Amino acid sequence: MIVSTQRDTALTRNQSLVLEALADAKGPLTAYAILDQLRDRGMRAPPQVYRALDKLVADGMVHRLESINAFVVCQLPDCGSRETMIFAICSDCSQVTEIRDGGVGDRFQAVAEQAAFSVHKSIVELRGRCAHCRAS
Amino acid sequence: MIVSTQRDTALTRNQSLVLEALADAKGPLTAYAILDQLRDRGMRAPPQVYRALDKLVADGMVHRLESINAFVVCQLPDCGSRETMIFAICSDCSQVTEIRDGGVGDRFQAVAEQAAFSVHKSIVELRGRCAHCRAS
DNA sequence: AGGGACATTATGTTATAACATAACTTGTGA
DNA sequence: TCACAAGTTATGTTATAACATAATGTCCCT
Ligand SMILES: [Zn+2]
Ligand SMILES: [Zn+2]
Ligand SMILES: [Zn+2]
Ligand SMILES: [Zn+2]
């Protein structure tokens, strides 16, 4: 039921539907899972979902998890910035914790500089087990 | 803690072919690109390539790049360990530089601990431009 | 103001490309 | 004959190309 976006133009219907699906989900969803979930609200084909996701990701309201081909709603404020985020993805329950850590980004810049590489975007995904799954 | 790899066992024919293809390539290759390249040497279907890749990745001789669904031959010694590697992937020419940096892994452990998350594997992929592409 | 002409943006639809694995069969050597 | 590598077929999963239509905005002319 989250609708408010500080950053940009108002969301279109499809964008709102996709964002709502992700916000209501307990964890990340694949594009096709979103599609299945929204079929009875008019979503019919992959491009509709992917186009909505493109916009939401560009605005920092949703993040793509590269290692599991899935999408998760942003958990932190001000993710439109280009700052490095760390995603801790539980291999058991697939729940995601989003962590902001400025130091990591600085470190990447430093090591990349040694390799004469200019960093535009950093992808950091930690695979492991969350506290809940370790306890059970 | 189990750290044994099958590195000392000889590679099978398909494994050798796939490793050779990746070693000869000037950048990462997708599984299907490898398949196409090896058709005239007997490779016929995706499972053959993926099974070879599974073994080479498990042994640390090849790395999977999650953000581009491609594979690259290891550029550093002793990658069978669980140490964190950083992959700098040029968005222009797709060439990859593999960087070892122990500090980053320690940092991940620290921030994950704050979130009660136990890290098993770290994925770090930097997207940007290599020196050569920036110059041209 | 009102109404076309045009551009722009969002959406819908079909088809297919690209990536990955399940399931089964066959060969091969200890 | 048992295990395992390899081969084969089919299918599942993720993502985009290509084209068509609808909705919206913007301009100019009357
Ligand atoms: Zn975020
Ligand atoms: Zn968990
Ligand atoms: Zn390596
Ligand atoms: Zn380059």
Side-chain angles (χ1 to χ4, degrees):
Chain A
M1 283 276 287
I2 295 173
V3 168
S4 90
T5 162
Q6 307 95 325
R7 298 182 45 70
D8 239 350
T9 63
L11 297 180
T12 66
R13 168 171 171 82
N14 282 354
Q15 288 158 11
S16 296
L17 286 171
V18 169
L19 180 60
E20 187 180 335
L22 285 169
D24 290 349
K26 297 230 177 341
L29 298 177
T30 67
Y32 280 75
I34 294 168
L35 175 58
D36 286 344
Q37 200 169 304
L38 294 178
R39 278 199 200 276
D40 57 1
R41 287 201 270 176
M43 206 68 80
R44 308 295 309 277
Q48 297 171 273
V49 175
Y50 280 105
R51 289 196 282 235
L53 286 169
D54 284 347
K55 170 66 158 54
L56 296 169
V57 169
D59 286 1
M61 305 170 72
V62 166
H63 301 294
R64 175 183 169 83
L65 302 171
E66 302 286 349
S67 65
I68 59 173
N69 297 322
F71 300 84
V72 67
V73 69
C74 177
Q75 301 169 12
L76 300 175
D78 302 321
C79 258
S81 71
R82 287 266 167 247
E83 201 173 350
T84 297
M85 292 295 156
I86 299 171
F87 297 94
I89 307 168
C90 180
S91 299
D92 283 9
C93 68
S94 85
Q95 284 197 205
V96 172
T97 303
E98 183 177 353
I99 303 165
R100 192 190 307 265
D101 184 277
V104 166
D106 293 345
R107 183 86 184 217
F108 291 160
Q109 290 294 146
V111 301
E113 196 168 344
Q114 296 300 304
F117 187 87
S118 161
V119 180
H120 174 250
K121 179 182 188 218
S122 306
I123 296 159
V124 182
E125 296 179 16
L126 309 181
R127 309 302 310 272
R129 294 183 91 205
C130 71
H132 180 259
C133 286
R134 280 209 313 293
S136 64
Chain B
M1 150 149 135
I2 296 169
V3 287
S4 81
T5 69
Q6 300 151 302
R7 187 184 310 251
D8 36 357
T9 72
L11 297 181
T12 67
R13 168 173 170 79
N14 282 354
Q15 288 158 10
S16 296
L17 286 171
V18 169
L19 180 60
E20 188 182 334
L22 284 170
D24 290 349
K26 51 186 189 314
L29 297 176
T30 67
Y32 279 74
I34 294 167
L35 174 58
D36 287 344
Q37 199 170 305
L38 295 177
R39 277 200 202 277
D40 57 0
R41 286 201 270 178
M43 205 69 79
R44 308 297 306 277
Q48 297 171 276
V49 175
Y50 279 105
R51 290 198 279 238
L53 286 169
D54 284 347
K55 170 66 157 56
L56 296 170
V57 169
D59 286 0
M61 305 171 72
V62 166
H63 300 294
R64 175 183 168 83
L65 302 172
E66 302 286 348
S67 64
I68 58 173
N69 297 323
F71 300 83
V72 68
V73 69
C74 178
Q75 302 168 12
L76 301 174
D78 302 322
C79 258
S81 73
R82 292 215 175 285
E83 201 173 350
T84 297
M85 293 295 157
I86 299 171
F87 297 94
I89 307 168
C90 180
S91 298
D92 282 10
C93 67
S94 87
Q95 284 194 215
V96 173
T97 302
E98 183 177 353
I99 302 165
R100 193 191 308 267
D101 183 277
V104 165
D106 293 345
R107 183 89 184 215
F108 291 161
Q109 290 294 146
V111 302
E113 196 167 344
Q114 295 300 305
F117 187 88
S118 161
V119 180
H120 174 250
K121 179 183 187 211
S122 307
I123 295 158
V124 182
E125 297 179 16
L126 309 181
R127 310 303 309 271
R129 293 184 93 204
C130 71
H132 179 260
C133 287
R134 280 210 312 292
S136 63

